[in-house]
Amino acid sequence: MSSEEKLQFEKEMERNKELREKVELFKDVDRFLEEEAEFEDLRQRVKEIHSNYSNIKKRNIWRLNKASFIGIAASILILIGISFFILLKRSPSYLYSQNFEVWQPKNITRGSDLDREVLHWIGLYSIREYNKVIEGYNHLPVQQMDNPMILIIYSCSFMELNQFDKALTVLNNIDVSESTLLTADVEWYKGLCYLKLNDFENARKSFNSLSESSKMYGADAKIISSKIRNR
Amino acid sequence: MVGKKLGKDDLDKILNGDNNLANQLYGEIVAYLAWQKKIYKFTNETLEDIAQITLLSLLNNAKKGKFRYESSLNTYAIAIAKKQVLKFFVNKEPVMRIEDTDLMDKLIQEEPDNYYLNEVKKNVFNEELKKLGKECRKLLRLAAKKIDYKTISKKLGYSSDKYVKTKIYRCKETFVKQIENNLTYQKYKDYDNQDFEILEPRNE
């Protein structure tokens, strides 16, 4: 618009109310549209922020879930491990393996009262020839067959070969009235046999009596007793 | 989670793409609304809607310089969120109109002149804008962003920038005509703020 045209227009504006109002309205509309456009940009920015925030939240939830899952899995495994360990320590097999040792005959020398055959037979036991020991028992001199020491060796050989019922039969036939030193030994091995045969009632009886009376086996018997208390 | 208190300078950073600050502010709004959700029992979708409206309202008014900045952006955000929740409680849905973002009497600096008249005008303009065709709305929006006609023509696939110029002018004319024919506009265009005070005294 030239300056003359501008002047003309301004004069017209002063004169013409309708024109004035129209011009004002166009200005208002322009202002409004600018605000609208800015607002639309803001709206887009807010949508971006929301989307970004939601994605981070989802990622964190996934990470948290992953971490939680690993944590829970690890806890369960640890719990299973601990339970397994506790149960293992209470199992008859474990208790047996921790406490069984083959009986060691005491005070036996070449110059003792025992026959050569018996000494040879004991020799087999000392070199862990348990099958031969069991086989050889029936060839021992008859008067030695009821010897408590011989019978303990015989029963331990059965125990080494996992024949606990046979071992128990032998142990139950041992007469320790003349040899009270061996009473505790016999009761101890009986207890272990009952343990392996899952006869917890009789096992408890053997170990309870030992825990009260035996200096040698008392402490260990007490421990085993406590571990099979509720079985 | 309460983080750093955000001030005036942080606003520009948020508007210009600082997502860390944006997430912090938005996170506080969401956390507040999550608590409100339990009381007022709205859905997660509504929570998200209210959160976005709150942030939009906050940014819009902060940009217009309507805050005194006596408190932090975080405080204003929670105040706006609170109002939005109450609105929802009354309306049972979050409603967002451009003019809603100005209705924060306790937070804005001072009431502008012709406050009500401006509000009426905005309502009318919005109403009539929605009635314009999609093409016109797009053109007017792009023109309002001061994008040149050549770029607009390429963006929207028009034959020439001259065509775009003519089209924009015609759309604006249509828009203005619609406004002039609007009954509400005709009724109130000669009012000023005092007239509105008599008609509809504001509730404190």
Side-chain angles (χ1 to χ4, degrees):
Chain A
M1 233 187 231
S2 67
S3 24
E4 221 181 279
E5 280 172 331
K6 233 180 177 175
L7 207 60
Q8 194 82 11
F9 183 73
E10 276 166 15
K11 277 185 181 162
E12 188 60 36
M13 281 269 282
E14 274 173 40
R15 212 178 23 243
N16 189 339
K17 187 188 173 198
E18 250 184 64
L19 175 65
R20 220 171 30 245
E21 280 177 0
K22 190 112 185 183
V23 167
E24 274 309 308
L25 183 52
F26 263 92
K27 282 183 185 173
D28 278 347
V29 161
D30 281 340
R31 253 196 306 271
F32 168 76
L33 288 171
E34 274 175 28
E35 272 183 23
E36 235 288 289
E38 264 184 38
F39 192 73
E40 189 53 37
D41 286 345
L42 266 182
R43 208 195 293 262
Q44 286 305 319
R45 178 68 185 120
V46 167
K47 270 189 186 160
E48 259 173 46
I49 292 169
H50 170 75
S51 177
N52 187 49
Y53 181 82
S54 301
N55 287 339
I56 290 174
K57 213 175 159 194
K58 278 182 196 157
R59 271 207 305 271
N60 285 347
I61 287 170
W62 191 82
R63 276 190 201 137
L64 188 65
N65 281 349
K66 190 181 169 190
S68 300
F69 176 75
I70 291 169
I72 290 167
S75 302
I76 290 172
L77 282 172
I78 289 168
L79 204 63
I80 290 171
I82 291 170
S83 306
F84 178 75
F85 187 66
I86 290 170
L87 287 170
L88 180 70
K89 280 211 150 185
R90 288 178 187 271
S91 73
S93 298
Y94 180 81
L95 288 169
Y96 178 87
S97 66
Q98 290 295 297
N99 290 284
F100 175 75
E101 275 177 20
V102 282
W103 185 77
Q104 297 301 322
K106 299 165 190 76
N107 303 321
I108 295 170
T109 62
R110 286 208 174 273
S112 73
D113 296 334
L114 295 168
D115 291 348
R116 199 189 281 185
E117 275 173 84
V118 174
L119 288 171
H120 172 72
W121 183 81
I122 293 170
L124 289 172
Y125 177 76
S126 65
I127 59 168
R128 302 166 73 86
E129 292 279 4
Y130 301 116
N131 279 314
K132 287 180 179 173
V133 167
I134 287 166
E135 214 179 302
Y137 173 78
N138 289 316
H139 300 295
L140 289 176
V142 171
Q143 66 270 27
Q144 293 294 341
M145 279 176 142
D146 288 335
N147 184 328
M149 184 188 71
I150 300 298
L151 287 171
I152 290 177
I153 290 172
Y154 189 37
S155 67
C156 280
S157 301
F158 277 122
M159 287 171 85
E160 279 286 2
L161 297 174
N162 294 323
Q163 294 175 38
F164 299 100
D165 45 354
K166 287 179 181 169
L168 206 53
T169 307
V170 172
L171 287 165
N172 280 328
N173 282 322
I174 297 175
D175 179 7
V176 290
S177 55
E178 286 182 27
S179 182
T180 54
L181 290 169
L182 299 175
T183 310
D185 294 326
V186 170
E187 203 59 48
W188 175 250
Y189 287 109
K190 271 164 85 170
L192 290 175
C193 284
Y194 283 128
L195 196 63
K196 268 307 247 184
L197 292 169
N198 292 328
D199 183 349
F200 298 109
E201 197 186 328
N202 281 317
R204 268 194 296 275
K205 276 182 191 164
S206 297
F207 292 123
N208 283 342
S209 74
L210 284 168
S211 60
E212 280 158 19
S213 58
S214 168
K215 276 186 187 168
M216 185 166 170
Y217 296 109
D220 292 333
K222 207 172 182 179
I223 290 169
I224 297 173
S225 225
S226 70
K227 289 190 177 175
I228 61 170
R229 184 174 45 221
N230 296 320
R231 281 185 167 256
Chain B
M1 186 177 77
V2 176
K4 172 192 152 191
K5 290 291 176 195
L6 302 174
K8 203 175 177 182
D9 299 332
D10 299 309
L11 173 70
D12 283 332
K13 290 177 191 171
I14 291 172
L15 289 167
N16 291 324
D18 188 330
N19 282 333
N20 285 334
L21 288 176
N23 284 334
Q24 187 204 311
L25 185 61
Y26 194 62
E28 284 187 33
I29 295 170
V30 170
Y32 171 78
L33 290 173
W35 170 48
Q36 293 294 297
K37 181 186 156 203
K38 289 180 190 169
I39 302 168
Y40 291 102
K41 300 194 183 350
F42 44 83
T43 62
N44 278 334
E45 287 77 22
T46 302
L47 188 153
E48 286 180 2
D49 286 343
I50 296 177
Q52 289 181 76
I53 288 168
T54 300
L55 184 60
L56 188 55
S57 180
L58 174 77
L59 295 179
N60 190 43
N61 283 281
K63 210 176 170 191
K64 285 181 182 174
K66 292 199 173 182
F67 293 139
R68 290 189 191 91
Y69 285 103
E70 286 166 358
S71 302
S72 62
L73 280 180
N74 319 57
T75 306
Y76 287 131
I78 300 305
I80 296 168
K82 212 184 269 188
K83 281 211 168 191
Q84 288 293 339
V85 168
L86 288 172
K87 266 193 203 174
F88 165 76
F89 189 62
V90 169
N91 299 320
K92 295 299 180 220
E93 59 170 23
V95 174
M96 181 57 183
R97 295 168 297 184
I98 295 177
E99 61 275 13
D100 281 356
T101 64
D102 290 337
L103 294 174
M104 295 187 300
D105 6 21
K106 289 181 184 165
L107 300 174
I108 59 176
Q109 297 238 28
E110 55 185 24
E111 299 293 341
D113 293 335
N114 290 322
Y115 175 77
Y116 284 110
L117 182 61
N118 288 339
E119 289 308 300
V120 168
K121 272 186 186 170
K122 274 186 189 172
N123 280 342
V124 168
F125 288 11
N126 266 318
E127 205 180 297
E128 295 306 329
L129 185 65
K130 281 177 192 164
K131 290 177 190 170
L132 274 182
K134 202 176 175 183
E135 195 191 356
C136 269
R137 285 204 306 272
K138 224 181 231 178
L139 278 167
L140 290 176
R141 202 164 273 153
L142 290 170
K145 284 185 181 180
K146 311 275 191 256
I147 297 173
D148 64 87
Y149 299 134
K150 203 173 181 180
T151 309
I152 296 174
S153 147
K154 269 188 188 164
K155 199 179 169 94
L156 299 180
Y158 291 126
S159 52
S160 71
D161 49 341
K162 276 188 187 152
Y163 176 79
V164 167
K165 186 179 177 183
T166 315
K167 190 86 186 160
I168 287 172
Y169 179 73
R170 285 206 185 122
C171 285
K172 210 181 272 188
E173 259 202 332
T174 310
F175 188 34
V176 166
K177 256 193 198 129
Q178 278 177 208
I179 292 168
E180 282 173 333
N181 292 333
N182 183 293
L183 293 173
T184 311
Y185 181 76
Q186 284 173 9
K187 189 177 174 185
Y188 290 114
K189 70 182 167 82
D190 292 326
Y191 276 53
D192 61 24
N193 227 32
Q194 283 167 336
D195 295 323
F196 278 104
E197 288 279 358
I198 292 164
L199 288 173
E200 291 171 355
R202 275 191 295 146
N203 294 323
E204 289 298 313

